[in-house]
């Protein structure tokens, strides 16, 4: 019998891509999602790509009784926990909602994992836990700086909870995956990112500008201490990221993990500037983007990129897709949305 994975937030951007890779690797999955920041059409997209029916339960993980019923009625082998509120700006306006949602969901899951004997979890973390790092590239040992946002702080607190839970109870087998900047979409353009309202993130803003939904892209600052003056990030293709989750689950189920709490950076190890991203987008899609340089955005880090040695060596995982594929697939997805 296939191992069964509970994917929380599986209708979301990274969750839906991971669901596809899990199914393609022979896992059975159940997706739970409250659809607060995603659409059920993502489930249809997953089904179309994989040709398989997906079990979907609309559920808010804060609802302990409903979640308990799900655990009582299913035998999960592992959980991948994506479900969370994730907008940096919004997290500064409604911090209590972010703390309650992102922390209570994890606590409910960990309690039920203990009660129902489901030891394994891969957790969706973020490079925001490092704050503004002093050294580059960022390794897993780079000290955490104070979080720049409430959102970032919830991820840091989530990691504290995982570490303490693992330390207190050797039954737990937990892996946190710290993503750098996930972008791009599935090559079929059946699933992708669905930002609500005006996007904050660079790539959705770029694709919406190219589609004529936004008039102009603002590039936030060209006076940073980087080669072309624009800020540098480690953009990683969402499909590469999705594959890393399958490897993390394989590792837990195969008992290949070396400690009962592990954490890994997931990036390409290569930094790209905003202008490089824009130029690549224009070149691979053969179009011109309307943009202007404006002031720096408050709270932005000058540059960050991952040291991925640990994930390369321990997980045997390496990002395979480059900026060209990221920009091509992001545009193909945007065109499908129009
Ligand atoms: N950025 C930009 N214009 C935008 C959105 C983002 O110039 O409309 C820049 C931003 O300043 C940062 C990079 O693009 O340097 C990536 O931003 P994003 O919000 O996607 O991710 P972050 O790394 O800030 O989480």
């Amino acid at each position: 019998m296939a191992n069964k994975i509970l994917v929380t937030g599986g209708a979301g951007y990274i969750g839906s891509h991971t669901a596809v890779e899990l199914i393609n690797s022979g896992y059975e999955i159940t997706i739970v999602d409250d659809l607060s920041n995603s659409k059920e059409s993502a489930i249809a997209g997953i089904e179309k790509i994989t040709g398989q029916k997906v079990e979907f339960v609309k559920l808010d993980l804060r609802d302990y009784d409903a979640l308990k019923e799900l655990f009582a009625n299913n035998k999960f082998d592992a959980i991948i926990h994506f479900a969370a509120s994730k907008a940096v700006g919004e997290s500064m306006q409604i911090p209590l909602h972010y703390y309650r949602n992102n922390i209570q969901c994890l606590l409910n899951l960990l309690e039920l994992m203990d009660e129902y004997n489901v030891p394994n979890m891969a957790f969706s973390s973020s490079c925001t836990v490092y704050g503004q790092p002093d050294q580059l590239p960022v390794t897993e040992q780079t000290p955490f700086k104070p979080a720049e946002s409430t959102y970032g702080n919830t991820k840091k607190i989530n990691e504290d909870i995982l570490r303490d839970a693992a330390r207190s109870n050797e039954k737990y087998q937990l892996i946190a995956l710290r993503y750098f900047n996930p972008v791009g979409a599935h090559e079929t353009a059946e699933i992708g990112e669905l930002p609500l309202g005006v996007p904050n993130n660079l790539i959705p803003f770029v694709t919406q500008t190219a589609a004529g939904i936004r008039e102009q892209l603002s590039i936030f600052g060209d006076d940073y201490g980087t080669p072309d003056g624009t800020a540098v990030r480690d953009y990683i293709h969402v499909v590469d990221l999705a594959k890393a989750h399958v490897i993390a689950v394989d590792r837990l189920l195969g008992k290949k993990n070396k400690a009962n709490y592990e954490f890994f950076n997931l990036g390409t190890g290569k930094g790209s500037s905003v202008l490089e991203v824009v130029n690549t987008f224009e070149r691979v899609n053969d179009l011109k983007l309307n943009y202007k340089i404006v002031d720096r955005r408050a709270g932005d880090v000058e540059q960050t990129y991952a040291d991925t040695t640990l994930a390369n060596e321990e997980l045997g995982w390496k990002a395979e897709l480059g900026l060209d594929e990221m920009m091509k697939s992001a545009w193909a997805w945007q065109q499908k949305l129009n």
Side-chain angles (χ1 to χ4, degrees), residues 202 205-206 209 215-219 274 278 289-292:
L202 177 62
F205 209 103
V206 164
T209 306
E215 205 181 312
Q216 190 171 48
L217 168 74
S218 294
I219 293 184
V274 179
V278 167
L289 204 64
N290 182 20
Y291 68 84
K292 66 168 182 229

Side-chain angles (χ1 to χ4, degrees), residues 17-88:
H17 288 82
T18 301
V20 166
E21 298 306 320
L22 285 167
I23 293 168
N24 286 344
S25 302
Y27 285 108
E28 200 181 310
I29 66 166
T30 297
I31 288 178
V32 298
D33 201 302
D34 68 355
L35 301 179
S36 61
N37 191 25
S38 56
K39 296 212 175 108
E40 209 168 333
S41 57
I43 307 292
I46 297 164
E47 291 179 338
K48 194 153 179 209
I49 295 168
T50 60
Q52 291 197 29
K53 185 99 193 77
V54 171
E55 199 175 306
F56 170 62
V57 182
K58 184 168 182 290
L59 188 151
D60 184 335
L61 298 178
R62 286 172 297 180
D63 184 345
Y64 185 86
D65 293 338
L67 189 58
K68 189 176 163 85
E69 203 182 309
L70 187 77
F71 272 78
N73 294 331
N74 291 273
K75 176 71 196 95
F76 297 119
D77 296 289
I79 295 167
I80 308 185
H81 180 36
F82 293 104
S85 302
K86 63 167 189 180
V88 172

Side-chain angles (χ1 to χ4, degrees), residues 88 128 181 199-203 205 217-221 224 231-233 235 274 297 300-302 304:
V88 172
T128 57
N181 288 51
N200 287 309
N201 293 115
L202 177 62
I203 307 310
F205 209 103
L217 168 74
S218 294
I219 293 184
F220 299 133
Y224 284 110
V232 164
R233 296 287 181 276
Y235 297 94
V274 179
R297 179 170 72 176
D300 267 349
V301 184
E302 176 175 279
T304 182

Side-chain angles (χ1 to χ4, degrees), residues 31-244:
I31 288 178
V32 298
D33 201 302
D34 68 355
L35 301 179
S36 61
N37 191 25
S38 56
K39 296 212 175 108
E40 209 168 333
S41 57
I43 307 292
I46 297 164
E47 291 179 338
K48 194 153 179 209
I49 295 168
T50 60
Q52 291 197 29
K53 185 99 193 77
V54 171
E55 199 175 306
F56 170 62
V57 182
K58 184 168 182 290
L59 188 151
D60 184 335
L61 298 178
R62 286 172 297 180
D63 184 345
Y64 185 86
D65 293 338
L67 189 58
K68 189 176 163 85
E69 203 182 309
L70 187 77
F71 272 78
N73 294 331
N74 291 273
K75 176 71 196 95
F76 297 119
D77 296 289
I79 295 167
I80 308 185
H81 180 36
F82 293 104
S85 302
K86 63 167 189 180
V88 172
E90 185 186 60
S91 78
M92 307 301 275
Q93 280 143 21
I94 46 170
L96 302 189
H97 168 79
Y98 270 68
Y99 283 119
R100 184 180 295 282
N101 196 33
N102 291 3
I103 292 168
Q104 194 174 334
C105 293
L106 179 63
L107 293 176
N108 285 350
L109 283 168
L110 286 168
E111 283 177 9
L112 290 166
M113 285 164 68
D114 189 33
E115 190 176 335
Y116 287 90
N117 219 358
V118 183
N120 305 308
M121 175 191 272
F123 174 72
S124 177
S125 191
S126 164
C127 67
T128 57
V129 297
Y130 297 110
Q132 300 218 19
D134 285 336
Q135 332 132 235
L136 289 170
V138 178
T139 76
E140 285 78 359
Q141 301 313 321
T142 299
F144 288 3
K145 292 294 194 60
E148 295 285 317
S149 68
T150 301
Y151 161 74
N153 207 33
T154 66
K155 289 294 174 189
K156 195 234 160 229
I157 293 169
N158 279 325
E159 286 205 13
D160 289 341
I161 291 170
L162 293 175
R163 187 200 55 233
D164 291 351
R167 193 165 48 198
S168 74
N169 182 345
E170 61 186 20
K171 204 160 84 182
Y172 285 123
Q173 304 296 322
L174 311 171
I175 294 181
L177 299 171
R178 296 175 181 159
Y179 318 146
F180 280 65
N181 288 51
V183 300
H186 195 266
E187 61 180 356
T188 59
E190 294 292 346
I191 51 173
E193 192 169 6
L194 271 178
L196 286 184
V198 182
N200 287 309
N201 293 115
L202 177 62
I203 307 310
F205 209 103
V206 164
T207 60
Q208 289 193 9
T209 306
I213 300 165
R214 313 278 155 214
E215 205 181 312
Q216 190 171 48
L217 168 74
S218 294
I219 293 184
F220 299 133
D222 70 346
D223 56 353
Y224 284 110
T226 59
D228 65 23
T230 63
V232 164
R233 296 287 181 276
D234 186 339
Y235 297 94
I236 170 155
H237 199 297
V238 66
V239 171
D240 275 329
L241 208 54
K243 288 178 176 166

